[in-house]
């Protein structure tokens, strides 16, 4: 069964490998150390993979834009140069993928990279960014993330960024936002989405969504993509099973979100794994497990069709 995965950090990991001469030089085509290398994507039947640009918050402000450009360069030179890969530049490109092609989407995880410069944001759109998360866990000029004790909402600048996202049919990601910023964003964003978040009731981690947030996303007809990192699945535990992960899917279904569920693995951004779901090549293990409990049309929805049905019409 085809898969659409909304989040991985392969660009960051490849960048780190090139910046550290003591590390193995990670290559997208065949490096086994990458959870989302090309061979793994093929084996797992991943049809569309989203690649995040991520800058660590401790990087000096004056270096962040350069770090983002380096990751974009890797997207163009390491990923797009493979003949099996097709760059998704507008949403309808996903519907035009041929057999054997894998679509790739560029995203931005945290607005730190462009600071207060909307010209840089517009450049990111032109380079292909189709999904933007305003924050990582830290606070920035747009909003507070979940790790900021203050817990403030959107700034005036953050509201300007969402308005630009709306005008350009770019998804606004709520996955790392503070609770206040989440509600502010849901009020303003035309295309809200949670690219990699789970259920707080089942696992009380601040990165997960509370019931009222999940219900509000469902009412907005927004997608919620479950994430595969064990600490977001089982509270304060570094391991998880497929059954543990499926509990989060079932809970969202019980809240009325069977048509709002997708996958956002966070591969290459996580250090522990769900058993039998250690990299993108294992995706069909999850599909086989889900087919034991859900109808085939529902599993197809989780895997790729729900997202396609929610595509912005640009």
């Amino acid at each position: 069964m085809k898969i659409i995965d909304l989040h991985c950090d392969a660009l960051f990991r490849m960048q780190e490998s090139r910046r550290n001469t003591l590390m193995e030089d990670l290559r997208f085509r065949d490096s086994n150390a990458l959870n989302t290398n090309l061979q793994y994507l093929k084996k797992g039947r991943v049809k569309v993979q989203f690649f995040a640009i991520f800058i660590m918050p401790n990087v000096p402000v004056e270096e962040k834009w350069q770090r983002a450009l380096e990751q974009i360069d890797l997207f163009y030179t390491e990923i797009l140069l493979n003949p099996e890969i097709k760059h998704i530049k507008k949403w309808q490109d996903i519907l035009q993928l041929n057999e054997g092609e894998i679509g790739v989407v560029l995203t931005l995880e945290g607005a730190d990279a462009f600071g207060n410069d909307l010209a840089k944001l517009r450049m990111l759109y032109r380079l292909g960014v189709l999904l933007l998360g305003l924050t990582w866990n830290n606070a920035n000029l747009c909003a507070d993330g979940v790790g900021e004790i203050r817990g403030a909402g959107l700034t005036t600048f953050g509201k300007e960024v969402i308005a630009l996202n709306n005008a350009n049919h770019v998804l606004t990601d709520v996955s790392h936002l503070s609770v206040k910023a989440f509600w502010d964003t849901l009020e303003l964003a035309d295309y809200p989405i949670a690219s990699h978040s789970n259920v707080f009731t089942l696992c009380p981690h601040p990165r997960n969504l509370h019931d009222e947030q999940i219900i509000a996303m469902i009412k907005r007809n927004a997608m919620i993509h479950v994430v595969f990192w064990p600490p977001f699945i089982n509270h304060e535990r570094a391991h998880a099973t497929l059954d543990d992960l499926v509990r989060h899917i079932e809970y969202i279904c019980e809240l009325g979100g069977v048509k709002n569920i997708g996958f956002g693995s966070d591969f290459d951004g996580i250090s522990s794994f769900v058993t039998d779901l250690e990299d993108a090549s294992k995706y069909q293990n999850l599909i086989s497990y889900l087919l034991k409990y859900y109808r085939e049309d529902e599993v197809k929805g989780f895997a790729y069709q729900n997202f396609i049905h929610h595509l912005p019409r640009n």
Side-chain angles (χ1 to χ4, degrees):
M1 190 177 293
K2 293 185 294 187
I3 302 291
I4 295 178
D5 184 326
L6 264 282
H7 191 84
C8 82
D9 284 300
L11 295 177
F12 173 75
R13 288 199 62 209
M14 287 191 290
Q15 179 186 50
E16 290 294 288
S17 77
R18 283 155 178 74
R19 280 179 161 264
N20 186 341
T21 57
L22 299 179
M23 292 177 64
E24 173 191 356
D25 190 5
L26 300 180
R27 297 291 180 180
F28 170 67
R29 188 160 189 86
D30 56 7
S31 287
N32 290 333
L34 279 179
N35 306 143
T36 47
N37 73 36
L38 180 58
Q39 307 311 317
Y40 287 167
L41 294 179
K42 287 180 178 179
K43 187 174 180 180
R45 298 192 63 190
V46 177
K47 191 65 176 175
V48 182
Q49 179 66 59
F50 285 53
F51 287 86
I53 303 162
F54 170 66
I55 315 299
M56 289 291 289
N58 61 352
V59 172
V61 171
E62 63 273 15
E63 293 183 23
K64 290 188 176 185
W65 179 243
Q66 177 60 34
R67 296 283 185 111
L69 292 179
E70 286 178 13
Q71 291 184 35
I72 294 168
D73 184 63
L74 286 168
F75 181 77
Y76 276 82
T77 59
E78 273 287 322
I79 295 172
L80 292 182
L81 288 187
N82 293 280
E84 307 95 322
I85 296 295
K86 180 177 180 180
H87 188 186
I88 304 300
K89 299 177 182 178
K90 58 182 185 300
W91 294 117
Q92 299 310 302
D93 290 345
I94 292 176
L95 305 178
Q96 308 303 320
L97 289 170
N98 295 320
E99 189 67 30
E101 288 184 328
I102 298 174
V104 293
V105 181
L106 192 60
T107 78
L108 181 66
E109 186 175 22
D112 305 47
F114 59 85
N116 65 348
D117 191 342
L118 292 179
K120 289 179 178 177
L121 175 57
R122 288 188 287 269
M123 186 180 297
L124 290 172
Y125 294 152
R126 290 192 287 272
L127 289 168
V129 168
L130 289 178
L131 179 151
L132 191 153
L134 297 176
T135 70
W136 188 58
N137 296 334
N138 54 297
N140 60 25
L141 297 177
C142 287
D144 279 5
V146 296
E148 174 56 56
I149 296 173
R150 174 181 52 184
L154 294 178
T155 64
T156 299
F157 181 69
K159 294 175 182 178
E160 290 182 57
V161 170
I162 290 178
L164 268 181
N165 283 351
N166 292 345
N168 288 275
H169 302 94
V170 170
L171 303 178
T172 299
D173 190 359
V174 303
S175 280
H176 280 276
L177 290 174
S178 70
V179 172
K180 177 66 167 64
F182 169 93
W183 290 112
D184 289 348
T185 297
L186 208 60
E187 184 177 333
L188 296 175
D190 289 346
Y191 311 108
I193 195 166
S195 68
H196 56 310
S197 291
N198 288 343
V199 177
F200 186 88
T201 298
L202 298 179
C203 177
H205 191 288
R207 272 279 286 103
N208 287 338
L209 297 173
H210 296 265
D211 287 9
E212 57 269 27
Q213 292 176 300
I214 294 170
I215 292 167
M217 291 285 282
I218 293 167
K219 287 181 178 177
R220 281 294 313 274
N221 202 27
M223 289 289 293
I224 301 164
H225 293 255
V226 295
V227 59
F228 299 169
W229 197 39
F232 294 170
I233 298 170
N234 291 325
H235 184 48
E236 296 183 345
R237 289 167 60 190
H239 59 87
T241 65
L242 290 173
D243 188 63
D244 296 327
L245 176 61
V246 171
R247 285 172 59 236
H248 288 260
I249 292 173
E250 179 58 22
Y251 195 92
I252 298 171
C253 288
E254 290 173 355
L255 292 178
V258 67
K259 296 185 181 299
N260 301 80
I261 295 169
F263 303 142
S265 66
D266 208 2
F267 282 142
D268 290 307
I270 56 179
S271 54
S272 59
F273 304 93
V274 175
T275 303
D276 296 323
L277 194 56
E278 292 85 2
D279 56 58
S281 73
K282 308 292 183 63
Y283 246 121
Q284 296 307 310
N285 292 339
L286 173 59
I287 297 303
S288 296
Y289 193 87
L290 287 167
L291 286 170
K292 296 177 182 178
Y293 302 100
Y294 298 92
R295 300 194 310 267
E296 183 175 1
D297 65 298
E298 292 174 329
V299 178
K300 285 182 177 178
F302 305 154
Y304 66 97
Q305 285 184 345
N306 287 347
F307 182 78
I308 288 174
H309 291 157
H310 288 78
L311 283 177
R313 303 301 173 189
N314 62 341

